[in-house]
Amino acid sequence: MNKLSAEFFGTFWLVLGGCGSAVLAAAFPALGIGFVGVSLAFGLTVLTMAYAVGHVSGAHFNPAVTVGLAAAGRISWSTVPGYIVAQVLGGIAAALVLYLIVSGKADFAGVGGFASNGFGEHSPGKFSMMSALITEVVLTAMFLVVILGVTHKNAPAGFAPLAIGLALTLIHLISIPVTNTSVNPARSTAVALFAEPWALQQLWLFWVAPIAGGVIGALVHKVISED
């Protein structure tokens, strides 16, 4: 239960901090933080929680990371379902808190896309489904390569959260215009439940692509490194 609680609260923080920055602060008149600010927010959520609870659960906060670590042999497959459930529930709880905050705005007229991930008409840059698929698979794979590398027994100790947080920041800097950046099915699911109907209709891609990318990243790690 300690591990599942850590995953719940870690994912809660990721969604509240990352998606919250996108919904509340990204386009704030004159003082908005923009894409760079949102990218940093996502990276900082992982960095801070990895230091806070990484020693408890391993700080996955992401079903694609959990599956990738299992594929790499770092964790048992039997732990995967519980971790994923905890991550999704943590994300939904954060999205609910964010919804309650947003709905208190004086001119509230609905949450719109609510920082959801999308492709085609719902991509920030109007990128196609194929572009979205390639982006999410490749970037999640690279995320796993970084995670598996910096947590290797021969890697410098104590720096893994910093490298992982910066990697997630870089991933967002690359891909916000394409998909609004998922690489995390729990993050995608959480906000899609509160957003306009299209978000749930396109949610399948943001489960399939990140998980496929996580497995590919694990395979790449096995080729270039030995645990």
Side-chain angles (χ1 to χ4, degrees), residues 86-161:
Q87 292 156 0
V88 172
L89 291 178
I92 292 172
L96 175 59
V97 170
L98 183 57
Y99 176 84
L100 293 174
I101 294 170
V102 171
S103 62
K105 197 169 186 290
D107 58 351
F108 177 70
V111 296
F114 205 47
S116 293
N117 303 114
F119 54 84
E121 181 184 350
H122 303 293
S123 157
K126 309 303 179 188
F127 287 84
S128 69
M129 182 180 71
M130 184 57 66
S131 294
L133 183 67
I134 293 170
T135 299
E136 292 290 328
V137 169
V138 172
L139 292 183
T140 310
M142 294 307 300
F143 194 34
L144 264 294
V145 171
V146 171
I147 291 170
L148 289 165
V150 299
T151 56
H152 190 276
K153 60 186 178 183
N154 294 330
F159 293 99

Side-chain angles (χ1 to χ4, degrees), residues 54-214:
H55 62 285
V56 179
S57 67
H60 300 185
F61 317 144
N62 182 340
V65 171
T66 298
V67 171
L69 291 175
R74 292 286 185 88
I75 62 171
S76 167
W77 281 104
S78 64
T79 66
V80 171
Y83 266 49
I84 291 178
V85 170
Q87 292 156 0
V88 172
L89 291 178
I92 292 172
L96 175 59
V97 170
L98 183 57
Y99 176 84
L100 293 174
I101 294 170
V102 171
S103 62
K105 197 169 186 290
D107 58 351
F108 177 70
V111 296
F114 205 47
S116 293
N117 303 114
F119 54 84
E121 181 184 350
H122 303 293
S123 157
K126 309 303 179 188
F127 287 84
S128 69
M129 182 180 71
M130 184 57 66
S131 294
L133 183 67
I134 293 170
T135 299
E136 292 290 328
V137 169
V138 172
L139 292 183
T140 310
M142 294 307 300
F143 194 34
L144 264 294
V145 171
V146 171
I147 291 170
L148 289 165
V150 299
T151 56
H152 190 276
K153 60 186 178 183
N154 294 330
F159 293 99
L162 182 60
I164 293 168
L166 289 173
L168 189 60
T169 298
L170 175 58
I171 285 168
H172 279 77
L173 289 172
I174 296 168
S175 60
I176 288 178
V178 183
T179 63
N180 219 18
T181 310
S182 171
V183 302
N184 185 338
R187 166 261 190 272
S188 298
T189 301
V191 290
L193 292 174
F194 295 86
E196 295 174 342
W198 64 261
L200 282 176
Q201 294 166 6
Q202 296 192 350
L203 181 60
W204 64 269
L205 187 143
F206 302 103
W207 274 88
V208 172
I211 288 177

